[in-house]
Amino acid sequence: MIRKSLPYLPSLQTIINRMPLVFPDGIEHRNYLIREMAAKTVFVMLYVGAIEGTNRWLRPDQVTKMTDLQAAGTSEKARLLWAQESLIPGKMKDVAGRWYAPNTREPIRDETLRYGLVLTGAVIERSGLPTTSAKPRYALNRGFAELFDERLSEETTLRKIRSWQMKHLSQGALARIQILKQGIVDAGQKGILVSFPNRETRMLAAGPSSVISKDVIEVFAPAFLQRPGVIFLSESGNKVVARDDKLARSIGLEIKADRNLPDIILVDIGPKNPLLVFIEVVATDGAITQSRKVALLDIAYQAGFNSKHVAFVSAFLDRRTGAYRKLASELAWGSFAWFRSEPDMIIILRQSGEKKAKHLFELA
């Protein structure tokens, strides 16, 4: 059954402002969801009344045909007329001031809708339509559409956003959101307390790097090392927070303050041959590049370590942050990448010669 009246229409700016609140850091394909194209897509869906339960639907090319002038025409008559005419083949082909070129419908359809809003449950697809059908097929989830009502108080809006997230976002996405939010809270504190494997504690200065360092020691180390120990820990400004010379000497490693040491040095004394782990904490820059790996490997060689017993890890906040996207291509082969937001996972940058295998099943 088609509703006779169209839904409340918020301003485009309100949608732009609220999309990052609905889809915070940690959401897959977040860049597709918070850019202006996504906000404009949501606006046009509200404009034509394409909301779950109304039997009104949107076709991606309608978004390209919208103009600032048309968007300002908010009467029900203007909206209904545009909704009808924008679906007529060839209509509005040369409309002046259109938001996007005609060929932009593909990224709207694929990136904004299919891989963004549809996957998160913000948009539903019309059932029973062949994939080749030119009929409109997308509509906003009713609860999602209500998040942009400007008549709601800020408190009510935030409560509705949290409720919608809990209902529609995956458990993995919700977990990443909470981890990243907690990192922001921790970074704003006066200091960050870190607990070492030997139960000693140290206080780090507040900041994004310290948040990552804390989880490297408290989460990464016990998860990926058998019997971890902290040999060296520094923070921004090359300030040495902790060094265990006794443990270092026991494995033949000499720590010199004037050397270009990494942010963290761990050791795993569980294996027959101890594993030395060099870790760079990457809040903005400073990952394990090939040249950095060579320099650190030289320190290990001087301590008598075989390269097989040395590991290199770049620790990031999240795969979706700018730091990782910027540095991913610079990471050294034969190193690892670990993310605070996905603590049970690790990326292995395997290089030739590490394992004689030619097929994927031999590596699985």
Side-chain angles (χ1 to χ4, degrees):
M1 179 179 178
I2 298 177
R3 285 174 171 253
K4 293 183 178 180
S5 60
L6 291 172
Y8 174 82
L9 183 66
S11 69
L12 174 60
Q13 190 59 52
T14 293
I15 299 173
I16 291 173
N17 293 342
R18 293 188 185 180
M19 290 291 272
L21 299 178
V22 180
F23 303 111
D25 282 332
I27 298 293
E28 189 172 8
H29 299 311
R30 184 176 186 251
N31 57 315
Y32 293 161
L33 296 163
I34 64 171
R35 62 186 181 184
E36 188 177 81
M37 181 179 286
K40 286 184 171 179
T41 300
V42 172
F43 177 86
V44 176
M45 295 177 91
L46 289 168
Y47 192 90
V48 302
I51 296 177
E52 181 181 17
T54 65
N55 201 31
R56 293 191 182 104
W57 307 90
L58 174 104
R59 198 169 63 198
D61 70 337
Q62 287 178 279
V63 181
T64 72
K65 297 174 181 178
M66 180 57 73
T67 67
D68 289 342
L69 181 62
Q70 182 63 48
T74 58
S75 70
E76 184 148 326
K77 181 179 179 180
R79 291 167 65 184
L80 287 172
L81 180 62
W82 188 88
Q84 294 172 357
E85 292 189 344
S86 61
L87 288 173
I88 299 174
K91 190 79 171 179
M92 302 183 184
K93 181 179 179 181
D94 300 314
V95 62
R98 63 188 302 156
W99 277 356
Y100 299 104
N103 60 1
T104 313
R105 65 181 181 273
E106 280 79 15
I108 292 172
R109 179 195 64 201
D110 297 334
E111 298 173 357
T112 300
L113 289 165
R114 289 181 179 174
Y115 302 137
L117 294 169
V118 172
L119 284 182
T120 58
V123 165
I124 63 170
E125 289 190 78
R126 190 176 182 178
S127 60
L129 282 185
T131 56
T132 55
S133 175
K135 292 183 178 180
R137 66 174 67 236
Y138 300 102
L140 293 174
N141 164 266
R142 178 163 295 281
F144 179 75
E146 293 172 354
L147 303 180
F148 303 98
D149 192 334
E150 296 165 323
R151 298 167 296 185
L152 300 177
S153 67
E154 181 179 358
E155 181 181 354
T156 301
T157 298
L158 293 176
R159 177 172 53 79
K160 280 183 169 289
I161 287 175
R162 286 192 293 269
S163 177
W164 187 87
Q165 289 171 336
M166 293 299 294
K167 185 176 180 180
H168 293 278
L169 300 184
S170 69
Q171 290 302 310
L174 291 172
R176 285 196 300 274
I177 290 170
Q178 287 305 117
I179 289 172
L180 293 174
K181 280 185 177 178
Q182 187 58 47
I184 294 173
V185 172
D186 290 345
Q189 295 177 353
K190 292 183 178 179
I192 296 176
L193 188 67
V194 182
S195 298
F196 286 14
N198 63 2
R199 298 185 180 180
E200 292 182 3
T201 59
R202 295 289 189 279
M203 185 67 73
L204 296 177
S209 295
S210 296
V211 169
I212 301 172
S213 294
K214 174 182 173 68
D215 276 14
V216 165
I217 293 171
E218 296 182 354
V219 180
F220 168 83
F224 291 94
L225 307 180
Q226 291 180 11
R227 293 180 59 192
V230 178
I231 292 179
F232 180 81
L233 170 63
S234 67
E235 59 185 8
S236 299
N238 295 320
K239 179 182 177 182
V240 178
V241 176
R243 53 187 289 174
D244 191 331
D245 291 311
K246 182 178 180 181
L247 179 58
R249 285 194 298 270
S250 72
I251 61 171
L253 183 66
E254 183 179 359
I255 301 175
K256 295 182 179 180
D258 60 343
R259 303 190 76 169
N260 189 16
L261 297 174
D263 296 315
I264 301 173
I265 302 177
L266 301 179
V267 64
D268 186 357
I269 59 175
K272 180 179 179 181
N273 294 300
L275 179 70
L276 189 63
V277 186
F278 292 119
I279 300 175
E280 292 287 17
V281 172
V282 191
T284 56
D285 216 329
I288 301 281
T289 61
Q290 188 60 37
S291 59
R292 185 71 174 125
K293 178 186 172 185
V294 170
L296 293 174
L297 198 55
D298 184 59
I299 295 175
Y301 285 153
Q302 292 181 32
F305 274 81
N306 186 298
S307 60
K308 294 181 180 179
H309 305 138
V310 184
F312 306 88
V313 181
S314 297
F316 297 87
L317 183 65
D318 184 69
R319 279 187 295 150
R320 298 157 187 83
T321 57
Y324 178 67
R325 293 201 302 269
K326 178 180 70 173
L327 298 169
S329 63
E330 303 297 322
L331 297 180
W333 291 109
S335 70
F336 301 86
W338 179 81
F339 307 92
R340 181 179 182 270
S341 63
E342 299 170 283
D344 298 327
M345 311 296 180
I346 196 164
I347 290 179
I348 305 172
L349 289 99
R350 181 181 176 274
Q351 64 183 1
S352 177
E354 289 183 332
K355 184 178 179 181
K356 292 183 178 180
K358 295 182 179 180
H359 306 96
L360 285 179
F361 77 86
E362 296 176 286
L363 297 172

